[in-house]
Amino acid sequence: AGAGAGKTKTITHRAAYMIKSGIPAHSILAVTFTNKAAAEMRNRIAALLPPSEGGNAVPFTTTFHSLGVRILREFASAAGIPRSFVIWDRDDSIRALKRVLVAAGLENRFPPRQVLSRISREKGNGLSAETFLEQASSFYMQSVAEAWIGYEAALTQEGALDFDDLLLRTLALLRSSAETLAKLQNRWQHVTIDEYQDTNQAQYEIARLITGEQQNICAVGDIDQNIYSWRG
């Protein structure tokens, strides 16, 4: 539905109704795309629940990236990363990529921002550097893949993840650790997603895996905001 049609109202009222009907709030996972929107959704659900109905018990309401941070810190051992990992921002990533490109003699051919944008897009598609290298069909793609591999080495050396890794590493963990996936599926049996048109492939796969065979998912979105999806 379009802007102002009541999409967020629909899912907040639905969540409140579920809780009033006896579904534990902690079994509901509500996801959106900004911290501000997540806070608003949490507050709107709480306002619909009088104290006698458990007004202080609201679903875990978060963004996809914050969800990734929570899962990766809790299951760091299974994910093969340090629990105390740091998160690089875009400037950190650009500096690291610049060093990699300089070392490869490619700094004058491929700007770090351009390479980072391509890496970010492919991570959003759920690809690893190794898979991208296997699919590389041009000098540019091969150069990006090799820079990506060097970039990943820098991340590992610093015990860091970038913003896209919060999704990609979470997806890899859910795919590789049946025990972790089962725990999360048992924890969150109802998944709600706002602004669904903004999901990329990795986010879609994370939601699909968490909902499991039940596929108990409710989503709202605005198809008119999807007109630029062809740009990746």
Side-chain angles (χ1 to χ4, degrees):
K7 295 187 298 297
T8 303
K9 179 179 180 180
T10 297
I11 57 175
T12 54
H13 278 254
R14 179 178 185 270
Y17 176 79
M18 291 165 66
I19 295 169
K20 291 177 182 179
S21 299
I23 294 174
H26 61 75
S27 70
I28 303 172
L29 171 64
V31 188
T32 187
F33 285 83
T34 68
N35 291 325
K36 180 179 179 181
E40 179 184 352
M41 192 188 306
R42 187 181 308 115
N43 292 336
R44 289 174 68 170
I45 295 172
L48 294 167
L49 296 171
S52 61
E53 303 256 10
N56 292 324
V58 296
F60 179 47
T61 309
T62 186
T63 65
F64 271 107
H65 289 88
S66 294
L67 174 64
V69 172
R70 173 170 174 153
I71 291 173
L72 291 173
R73 291 211 191 278
E74 182 176 351
F75 301 100
S77 178
I81 58 177
R83 187 180 300 274
S84 59
F85 64 83
V86 298
I87 302 172
W88 277 4
D89 61 21
R90 185 171 178 82
D91 289 340
D92 295 325
S93 296
I94 289 173
R95 282 192 291 269
L97 266 175
K98 184 174 182 180
R99 292 193 295 269
V100 171
L101 291 169
V102 167
L106 297 171
E107 71 277 13
N108 294 322
R109 299 197 63 172
F110 306 117
R113 291 180 185 276
Q114 175 186 331
V115 176
L116 180 61
S117 293
R118 184 59 185 264
I119 291 173
S120 179
R121 187 198 317 175
E122 299 304 334
K123 284 188 175 184
N125 289 332
L127 293 183
S128 65
E130 291 73 20
T131 302
F132 185 70
L133 179 59
E134 291 174 0
Q135 298 176 358
S137 57
S138 66
F139 175 72
Y140 168 69
M141 292 178 66
Q142 291 175 346
S143 298
V144 169
E146 291 169 5
W148 186 353
I149 291 171
Y151 171 65
E152 291 298 325
L155 282 164
T156 300
Q157 184 175 2
E158 296 293 328
L161 300 180
D162 67 17
F163 205 53
D164 297 300
D165 284 330
L166 302 178
L167 301 178
L168 189 61
R169 289 298 189 98
T170 299
L171 177 57
L173 171 63
L174 298 182
R175 285 172 169 170
S176 63
S177 174
E179 181 180 358
T180 300
L181 180 58
K183 286 181 179 179
L184 295 177
Q185 288 175 341
N186 185 61
R187 178 182 303 174
W188 295 311
Q189 298 172 9
H190 306 272
V191 177
T192 295
I193 303 176
D194 199 5
E195 304 292 355
Y196 190 69
Q197 76 280 349
D198 291 336
T199 52
N200 61 24
Q201 188 67 27
Q203 291 161 337
Y204 163 75
E205 290 290 345
I206 289 169
R208 186 184 64 81
L209 286 167
I210 290 177
T211 54
E213 292 183 2
Q214 299 274 338
Q215 292 295 287
N216 195 351
I217 185 168
C218 175
V220 295
D222 181 358
I223 194 65
D224 288 340
Q225 295 185 43
N226 218 21
I227 60 173
Y228 295 112
S229 60
W230 57 273
R231 297 176 63 183

